[in-house]
Amino acid sequence: MQVTPSTFQVNEGDSLSTSLSGFTPNSTLYFQVTGKGVNKKDFAAGLAKGRVKVDANGVATVSHTLRADKKTEGEESFAIQVFSDKKKRNPLGKSDAVTVFDTSVKAGKAG
C-alpha cells in the first residue's frame, strides 16, 4: 500500500493530490492530515480529514488546495495518514512529509 503526494514541496495557494494505491478494491478509506503548524484552516479546498472510495483497481486520490492566508507563519509541513476505520484506530499507511512554503509578506508600517 502506497500513499504518494504529487509533490513534496508546495507554496501556499497551490494544489496537490495524493495517490493511494494498492488498497482493497471498492473499499472506503479514511484519511487525515497531520503535521507541524498545519490545520484545517490551511486548506482552501479539500479536507484535512475525511473519507475516500477506492476504485476497482485499488486506487483513490485525495486532492487539496492550500490557502494563501497572508499570515507569516514560516515553513510548515504535513503528511496524509490513511486508516481502514472511521475512528482511525487501524493505520494503513502514511505519506512522506510535504513542505509548505510561506508566501506571505508582512507589510511594514509607514513612518
Side-chain angles (χ1 to χ4, degrees):
M1 294 176 269
Q2 294 182 317
V3 182
T4 311
S6 57
T7 183
F8 292 98
Q9 296 180 336
V10 65
N11 289 322
E12 288 181 329
D14 288 348
S15 298
L16 75 148
S17 59
T18 301
S19 174
L20 314 175
S21 59
F23 292 92
T24 304
N26 304 311
S27 63
T28 299
L29 299 175
Y30 298 86
F31 66 90
Q32 71 180 16
V33 172
T34 61
K36 179 183 154 212
V38 176
N39 61 47
K40 66 181 180 181
K41 293 179 183 178
D42 289 305
F43 295 94
L47 299 171
K49 63 181 179 179
R51 68 176 182 223
V52 64
K53 184 78 170 169
V54 178
D55 70 16
N57 296 313
V59 177
T61 302
V62 177
S63 298
H64 293 97
T65 300
L66 291 147
R67 185 179 309 280
D69 57 14
K70 299 187 171 120
K71 293 180 184 176
T72 303
E73 304 160 304
E75 207 170 272
E76 300 171 298
S77 63
F78 70 90
I80 304 283
Q81 286 186 279
V82 179
F83 303 85
S84 65
D85 61 310
K86 188 175 183 177
K87 293 187 178 185
K88 298 177 183 75
R89 292 182 180 155
N90 186 25
L92 298 176
K94 182 177 180 179
S95 72
D96 288 335
V98 174
T99 300
V100 181
F101 295 109
D102 191 347
T103 58
S104 304
V105 176
K106 279 192 173 182
K109 290 185 179 181

